[in-house]
Amino acid sequence: MMKMTFRWYGESDSIPLQYIKQIPNMSGVVTAVYDVPVGEVWPCEKIARLKELCDKAGLEMEVIESVPVHEDIKLGKPSRDRLIANYAETIRNLGKFGVKCICYNFMPVFDWFRTDLHYVQANGAVCLAYKEEDFQKLDKHNLRLPGWDESYTPEELNGLLKEYEGVSHEQLFENLVYFLNGIMPACDETGINMAIHPDDPPWDIFGLPRIVTGAESYEKMINAVPNVHNGFTFCTGSLGAGRFNDLPKMAAKYAKRIYFAHLRQLKFVNETDFYENGHQTADGNVDIYAIVKALEENGFSGYVRPDHGRNIWGEEGKPGYGLYDRALGAAYLSGLFEAVRKDRA
Ligand code: DNO
């Protein structure tokens, strides 16, 4: 059976754990240690502190999002062996505190990308949006998005962009496989599943290669690293931005390998532009119902979380991560899972 979870940004999150606990059917939080530089080992004390807070609130801490992957690993630099050993050590430390699943991504330089973090809908709800025309106007050498976990100074950014010149899709993929092979022993020891987050949006941006974009990438990854601990975060908002992806079909095919599902809605306003909407199937182009059904009918037993919500009812939450709309999303998703499960019984 699936477990419903909720993303919580640690002690600096404006949403108290108690409020999260009050959402119906909530089993636990998805969180991370945010104050250890990328590439260094997460110390047990810091993990223990988070775990203690979750325990006190009656919430599980079985999913970590994310343990970020250092750029040197993605670039395949000589320092990667030390960094991969550190990552494996972090996995072992997390295993000591009951963590079962780690979400990560392998996007070069940038994490998810939207052109507008404060898109106002006709009904006053505020959400994230993507407009191709605005994207084309951006200066990649001078970018900062407040929604990311990590941001760079312009100097760091430009240095990195330079290093990626000439890194092909194939090379990046090989570096991903090298990384996975390096950490699989730690996963075997601890039982932790790695769940790669797709690239968002699922195509190359700013001339950087992106390699986790749809069904083909899933197939390629499983073939390259068959270990069961190598799995996926099925993010419908990311994969769904690529209109070439058939999400219910992917959900059905990879249900057992999907360890974590980020379920959210996108509403396209034309071929390329979209905004994020409430979770309901009727509110956009992602057939949330069909996806839940496909997962449930094909043996999915991972973690689910509502993803980016709108800011509604006057809430001024972190873009995409307010309380109210995500809570509505969680309740809707729990209802869908229950209905589909009971229909099948
Ligand atoms: C955005 C999130 C991503 C995600 C990472 C996973 O809201 O879905 O930032 O956490 O890409 O590594």
Side-chain angles (χ1 to χ4, degrees):
M1 223 160 86
M2 72 90 175
K3 275 190 181 182
M4 183 57 66
T5 59
F6 203 81
R7 193 171 195 183
W8 179 64
Y9 282 94
E11 286 177 84
S12 66
D13 197 319
S14 62
I15 302 169
L17 284 173
Q18 196 184 43
Y19 287 14
I20 297 174
K21 177 71 183 172
Q22 289 166 359
I23 301 168
N25 193 39
M26 196 50 65
S27 75
V29 294
V30 171
T31 190
V33 168
Y34 290 99
D35 58 354
V36 170
V38 179
E40 282 173 30
V41 180
W42 288 9
C44 285
E45 309 82 73
K46 287 189 189 277
I47 304 168
R49 167 79 187 147
L50 281 176
K51 171 83 173 138
E52 188 193 321
L53 293 169
C54 294
D55 282 348
K56 271 201 201 132
L59 289 160
E60 291 172 347
M61 189 186 81
E62 298 187 343
V63 187
I64 296 297
E65 176 176 354
S66 313
V67 180
V69 178
H70 196 280
E71 296 296 327
D72 287 5
I73 296 178
K74 299 179 206 164
L75 285 160
K77 289 166 91 167
S79 50
R80 70 176 160 176
D81 290 324
R82 181 182 59 84
L83 293 162
I84 292 172
N86 284 354
Y87 202 103
E89 203 50 36
T90 295
I91 293 176
R92 290 192 185 92
N93 287 351
L94 289 169
K96 290 178 195 146
F97 295 89
V99 168
K100 308 263 191 300
C101 176
I102 295 174
C103 172
Y104 71 106
N105 73 71
F106 216 73
M107 289 179 248
V109 193
F110 306 106
D111 193 335
W112 58 277
F113 212 96
R114 294 290 171 272
T115 53
D116 192 350
L117 300 180
H118 302 279
Y119 176 85
V120 184
Q121 301 184 10
N123 63 11
V126 180
C127 67
L128 310 180
Y130 181 88
K131 200 170 172 195
E132 186 62 29
E133 191 190 327
D134 291 345
F135 182 79
Q136 296 304 337
K137 288 188 213 141
L138 291 170
D139 172 11
K140 74 170 175 183
H141 297 288
N142 196 3
L143 276 176
R144 288 203 106 157
L145 271 203
W148 289 334
D149 293 349
E150 303 291 330
S151 243
Y152 309 100
T153 63
E155 295 72 44
E156 285 168 336
L157 181 60
N158 287 314
L160 265 178
L161 289 171
K162 189 121 205 81
E163 290 195 79
Y164 274 99
E165 280 171 17
V167 174
S168 66
H169 293 82
E170 264 328 295
Q171 189 60 55
L172 186 63
F173 185 78
E174 274 172 33
N175 296 345
L176 169 60
V177 170
Y178 186 94
F179 164 68
L180 283 169
N181 284 330
I183 59 170
M184 282 299 121
C187 293
D188 289 334
E189 272 167 48
T190 55
I192 288 181
N193 289 323
M194 294 302 296
I196 197 166
H197 189 284
D199 304 338
D200 187 2
W203 54 78
D204 296 355
I205 59 169
F206 303 124
L208 294 162
R210 288 184 141 193
I211 54 172
V212 190
T213 53
E216 231 174 83
S217 336
Y218 275 28
E219 209 50 41
K220 216 172 147 187
M221 274 190 72
I222 293 177
N223 289 334
V225 184
N227 189 314
V228 293
H229 298 298
N230 168 32
F232 307 104
T233 294
F234 190 70
C235 176
T236 63
S238 309
L239 293 165
R243 300 182 85 160
F244 42 87
N245 281 321
D246 181 336
L247 300 186
K249 196 168 156 197
M250 281 181 80
K253 181 156 185 202
Y254 300 102
K256 293 208 174 85
R257 207 70 180 227
I258 293 171
Y259 298 126
F260 189 21
H262 285 180
L263 302 181
R264 85 170 122 103
Q265 192 53 275
L266 294 177
K267 173 81 180 159
F268 278 92
V269 293
N270 59 35
E271 258 323 291
T272 52
D273 305 345
F274 59 83
Y275 62 88
E276 300 182 348
N277 211 357
H279 288 69
Q280 275 70 6
T281 297
D283 286 343
N285 295 73
V286 178
D287 193 340
I288 301 284
Y289 167 72
I291 291 165
V292 166
K293 192 162 157 34
L295 287 172
E296 190 65 36
E297 287 177 348
N298 291 281
F300 169 78
S301 66
Y303 300 88
V304 173
R305 73 165 175 83
D307 203 358
H308 301 175
R310 304 159 299 157
N311 270 310
I312 57 170
W313 302 337
E315 186 182 21
E316 286 180 20
K318 188 174 164 69
Y321 288 97
L323 170 65
Y324 304 143
D325 201 36
R326 283 191 300 149
L328 288 175
Y332 169 68
L333 293 169
S334 289
L336 280 185
F337 272 98
E338 179 182 348
V340 170
R341 192 173 60 245
K342 289 188 174 164
D343 265 2
R344 278 167 40 79

